[in-house]
Amino acid sequence: LSGLLQTSDKVALKEITRQLQLENVVGDKVFGSFAENLTFLLEALRRGDRSSSCPVLFVLDEFDLFVHHKNQTLLYNLFDISQSAQAPVTVIGLTCRQDILELLEKRVKSRFSHRQIYLMNSFDFKQYIKIFKEQLSLPADFPDEAFVQKWNENVQQLSENKTVQDVLQNLFHYTKDLRSLHFLLMLAVSAVTVHHPLLTAADLQEASKQHRTDSKANIVHGLSVLEICLIIAMKHLNDVYDGEPFNFQMVYNEFQKFIQRKAHSMYNFEKPVVMKAFEHLLQLELVKPLERPSVRTQREYLLMKLLLDNTQIMDALQVYPNCPTDVKQWAASSLSWL
């Protein structure tokens, strides 16, 4: 099963029923309720025994997506059967998330064998270039032989091009994950048209720029100047307190210091207005509370963490439209003026 295709337990059950060739047995029940389908499948698996039944191997690709299914019902039942002494069932989950166990509910985790195998890519850059060529090359049985020859020769030239090698080397040092390479190539290939039939080094450079686009930095471009000021205040707090969490009151005090000492273009907003801007940053997930807000905790004193690093903030400010000069200077300033 694939988490990208089987997006709910109900769809997954229908696919299991199809693959185990149980449709004939089920008859019309295959279109019954989820509960009926699940009961039938579990009964079918439980009727077996380890000595005479044919083993069933469940491979769940994109396992982390199954975790988000309602109540994790399917996972719970599959793990439960695999741990019991009934039909021989093994469940293998494939995922690139190393924190997957944290996402499992307690009852599901208790039935998981806790057997984990970490697979790391061990190829070098020469092999990476070879993979690049294999992924882009057209097969020999492609209908247009003349185009195949042209395309594959072009791919060979690209693999030897210094610009392309630099793009691939940057990605290789960032991550050896082949999904990232596939995503980069998909972006590049989408530039191919009737009038631009062959890939160029420029296409791969452009794809690399799109691939590396920082979504959080992009969000910063759309913020108000007040919200930018609050992010800079948090940046300074991170620098002063070495990344320790802060609360709204601390951010507000930092902002007030800036207004009183340095700002010439900034208007001193009322505290409720600043609070509203801060809450907007929370909604955009640029700031994250460390604990769930309780009724007793005052909002001003709830501990927070900034989800942007200094480089992201400074890069975003460079391209922020019409950013006041004193705000830019405040962001780049040392802490000596405080």
Side-chain angles (χ1 to χ4, degrees):
L1 307 175
S2 167
L4 293 168
L5 298 174
Q6 282 75 50
T7 51
S8 70
D9 281 357
K10 190 169 184 177
V11 178
L13 268 182
K14 284 188 179 179
E15 180 59 17
I16 293 168
T17 309
R18 185 189 70 78
Q19 287 190 39
L20 291 178
Q21 299 177 4
L22 294 170
E23 297 108 313
N24 298 335
V25 185
V26 181
D28 295 334
K29 281 187 188 172
V30 76
F31 300 110
S33 70
F34 171 72
E36 284 174 356
N37 270 325
L38 182 61
T39 307
F40 170 78
L41 176 70
L42 297 179
E43 280 306 310
L45 291 172
R46 280 180 182 141
R47 272 188 211 137
D49 63 78
R50 293 204 174 261
S51 57
S52 60
S53 293
C54 184
V56 184
L57 176 66
F58 287 87
V59 180
L60 309 182
D61 198 7
E62 307 288 349
F63 182 75
D64 47 295
L65 297 179
F66 284 95
V67 167
H68 298 301
H69 290 188
K70 192 180 176 186
N71 299 334
Q72 300 181 2
T73 308
L74 182 69
L75 290 183
Y76 171 77
N77 284 292
L78 288 180
F79 285 166
D80 193 44
I81 289 173
S82 66
Q83 293 286 1
S84 66
Q86 293 147 353
V89 170
T90 297
V91 183
I92 297 174
L94 308 175
T95 179
C96 56
R97 287 193 63 162
Q98 294 197 0
D99 63 343
I100 191 67
L101 288 187
E102 306 307 314
L103 303 176
L104 295 175
E105 288 181 7
K106 267 187 183 175
R107 64 189 189 126
V108 181
K109 201 188 281 191
S110 69
R111 278 159 177 74
F112 173 54
S113 66
H114 289 269
R115 225 180 279 176
Q116 291 173 277
I117 301 170
Y118 293 98
L119 302 170
M120 303 296 177
N121 292 325
S122 58
F123 46 74
D124 59 17
F125 186 62
K126 274 187 180 176
Q127 289 168 301
Y128 193 69
I129 292 280
K130 194 179 172 189
I131 294 166
F132 162 79
K133 285 194 290 187
E134 284 169 0
Q135 294 300 313
L136 269 187
S137 298
L138 288 170
D141 58 354
F142 192 78
D144 189 338
E145 284 181 28
F147 182 70
V148 168
Q149 194 175 348
K150 260 191 204 173
W151 177 272
N152 288 352
E153 280 173 8
N154 184 57
V155 169
Q156 179 62 37
Q157 286 167 9
L158 284 175
S159 70
E160 294 162 7
N161 183 294
K162 177 74 172 69
T163 309
V164 173
Q165 286 187 358
D166 287 346
V167 167
L168 293 176
Q169 196 132 29
N170 284 339
L171 185 61
F172 178 76
H173 289 317
Y174 176 66
T175 172
K176 289 184 177 181
D177 181 11
L178 291 181
R179 291 179 187 203
S180 295
L181 177 64
H182 291 157
F183 185 59
L184 176 81
L185 297 182
M186 184 189 73
L187 289 171
V189 169
S190 63
V192 171
T193 63
V194 176
H195 305 296
H196 178 67
L198 298 175
L199 277 181
T200 63
D203 292 334
L204 280 153
Q205 268 186 319
E206 185 55 37
S208 177
K209 271 186 202 167
Q210 289 178 41
H211 186 258
R212 285 182 302 173
T213 299
D214 191 328
S215 57
K216 281 201 170 81
N218 276 350
I219 292 172
V220 175
H221 301 163
L223 297 179
S224 68
V225 177
L226 171 58
E227 288 162 345
I228 289 278
C229 284
L230 294 183
I231 283 178
I232 295 168
M234 292 181 240
K235 170 188 177 289
H236 282 313
L237 285 170
N238 270 348
D239 292 343
V240 174
Y241 298 109
D242 199 23
E244 287 295 309
F246 49 80
N247 58 39
F248 169 74
Q249 190 59 48
M250 292 163 73
V251 175
Y252 182 70
N253 293 344
E254 200 72 21
F255 175 61
Q256 286 301 307
K257 286 179 195 173
F258 167 62
I259 292 293
Q260 287 157 18
R261 298 190 188 189
K262 287 279 178 181
H264 306 295
S265 59
M266 279 297 294
Y267 171 74
N268 192 3
F269 294 92
E270 295 291 322
K271 194 173 181 178
V273 177
V274 181
M275 176 58 122
K276 200 164 185 183
F278 189 78
E279 284 175 346
H280 185 230
L281 296 177
L282 267 168
Q283 287 167 358
L284 293 172
E285 296 184 357
L286 296 176
V287 186
K288 172 187 168 188
L290 289 189
E291 65 228 19
R292 284 187 180 176
S294 64
V295 181
R296 292 178 187 174
T297 316
Q298 285 181 272
R299 287 185 305 171
E300 290 93 329
Y301 300 105
L302 198 65
L303 287 176
M304 306 277 178
K305 205 166 181 64
L306 180 63
L307 299 181
L308 290 163
D309 62 36
N310 287 2
T311 312
Q312 286 175 310
I313 295 166
M314 297 312 292
D315 288 351
L317 279 175
Q318 292 307 314
V319 291
Y320 185 82
N322 306 319
C323 185
T325 308
D326 46 0
V327 172
K328 272 190 182 178
Q329 286 172 348
W330 179 41
S333 71
S334 66
L335 304 168
S336 56
W337 65 275
L338 287 171

